[in-house]
Amino acid sequence: MDVLGMRRVDAALSLAEVPHDLAWGPSFRAEGLNYEEVDPARYSHVVFVSGAARGRQVREVHRRFAHCHRIAVGVSVTDPGDDAVTGFDQVLARDHQGIATPDLSVDASTDEVLVAGLILGPEPTAVRSRVTRWLTGIDCGRVPLDPGLASTDWARCATPDQFTSILSHLDVVVTTRLDGLVLGLRAGVPVLAVDPVDGGGALTAQADALGWPALVPAEESGQAENLDSWWRWCSSVQGRAVAALRALPSDNGLLRDMVKVFEAGPVR
């Protein structure tokens, strides 16, 4: 929410043709302008956007930019007498003494990205680590999902119907688990499957049985270009069309064999 507020302020200053920079914490956006390394002498004004006007970090803004005109916009003010608040030359609060205005993020612009369900094994394996490291560089909405059912845990689904309903709203599933592959395709969602077993395990066998091509062997899970290629395919019209075909009902051979046992009559 705070980043959207910053985006809204950025748009307003750009519209007013006010030259400005956006400064980020190094842990949040490594490629952006590092707030901790900017030269305060370059600026005449500082705008502090969103969050609460209190605490050590806000006081540090006042210390580093003491010569600047300091403005707080879209902030919460819990104590008007706090030196973190009084240090600003102007405070344009979103909530103060029971009076509130809409948060800056309400009408900030956003772009729609793909939503990916992540169904990964719980064990900290090398394959899981490679997949999660790769995912940090993918521009998508990430939704970690646990296919295990639990009727007493609010954070997990209690029935298969609840879980498959979630899957049906996703654009892509990324998984290292057999149930992620099967349930994702059952919902008609393209699945990027990464087999965690060297040489291929149950995930590879099931991908073969379902005729699903987007499978990355464990030995290739560290190759980002391979994962990127299958991500693009799963995100494409072709990938979605193939996944939709896999969701159609089929004549399952396992059920045919089971019925034959009953048709053969009782074992004597």
Side-chain angles (χ1 to χ4, degrees):
M1 194 169 74
D2 292 345
V3 174
L4 287 178
M6 184 178 182
R7 185 179 294 182
R8 188 69 182 85
V9 169
D10 177 33
L13 292 176
S14 297
L15 185 63
E17 299 183 348
V18 177
H20 62 282
D21 294 324
L22 301 180
W24 305 86
S27 62
F28 182 78
R29 181 166 292 182
E31 73 279 9
L33 182 64
N34 188 335
Y35 164 77
E36 296 178 357
E37 296 177 357
V38 298
D39 179 8
R42 294 185 61 233
Y43 303 98
S44 62
H45 292 68
V46 170
V47 181
F48 182 85
V49 183
S50 296
R54 65 169 183 264
R56 179 188 59 79
Q57 290 180 318
V58 178
R59 294 186 183 92
E60 180 65 9
V61 171
H62 297 318
R63 186 193 68 78
R64 290 191 65 207
F65 296 89
H67 68 286
C68 292
H69 187 87
R70 297 183 300 281
I71 305 167
V73 57
V75 297
S76 295
V77 176
T78 55
D79 181 4
D82 190 325
D83 58 357
V85 176
T86 59
F88 287 106
D89 296 287
Q90 290 175 280
V91 178
L92 308 174
R94 68 182 168 196
D95 48 80
H96 170 53
Q97 295 182 333
I99 301 174
T101 59
D103 187 81
L104 292 170
S105 65
V106 169
D107 57 355
S109 64
T110 58
D111 295 322
E112 189 169 321
V113 299
L114 295 176
V115 178
L118 313 180
I119 305 177
L120 306 175
E123 300 81 11
T125 64
V127 169
R128 190 185 195 282
S129 177
R130 292 170 194 147
V131 171
T132 54
R133 185 167 58 248
W134 166 76
L135 279 166
T136 60
I138 299 298
D139 185 18
C140 68
R142 294 182 280 272
V143 183
L145 296 171
D146 184 349
L149 303 179
S151 60
T152 59
D153 184 353
W154 69 267
R156 293 161 66 182
C157 293
T159 68
D161 312 87
Q162 294 173 6
F163 190 75
T164 55
S165 293
I166 294 174
L167 295 180
S168 68
H169 290 280
L170 301 174
D171 296 306
V172 181
V173 168
V174 178
T175 190
T176 59
R177 298 180 59 158
L178 178 62
D179 37 18
L181 171 66
V182 173
L183 296 178
L185 291 180
R186 181 193 176 282
V189 179
V191 178
L192 199 174
V194 184
D195 198 321
V197 180
D198 289 338
L203 195 58
T204 296
Q206 190 61 204
D208 290 342
L210 294 171
W212 183 247
L215 175 81
V216 177
E219 298 83 355
E220 300 177 15
S221 60
Q223 300 175 14
E225 63 276 10
N226 198 7
L227 294 167
D228 287 340
S229 177
W230 280 120
W231 171 265
R232 288 192 296 270
W233 185 84
C234 287
S235 306
S236 69
V237 173
Q238 181 184 9
R240 292 194 293 271
V242 175
L245 290 174
R246 295 299 180 276
L248 296 175
S250 61
D251 186 15
N252 194 300
L254 293 177
L255 297 180
R256 289 200 307 272
D257 291 342
M258 181 193 71
V259 171
K260 286 178 181 178
V261 173
F262 287 92
E263 292 177 340
V267 177
R268 297 185 183 277

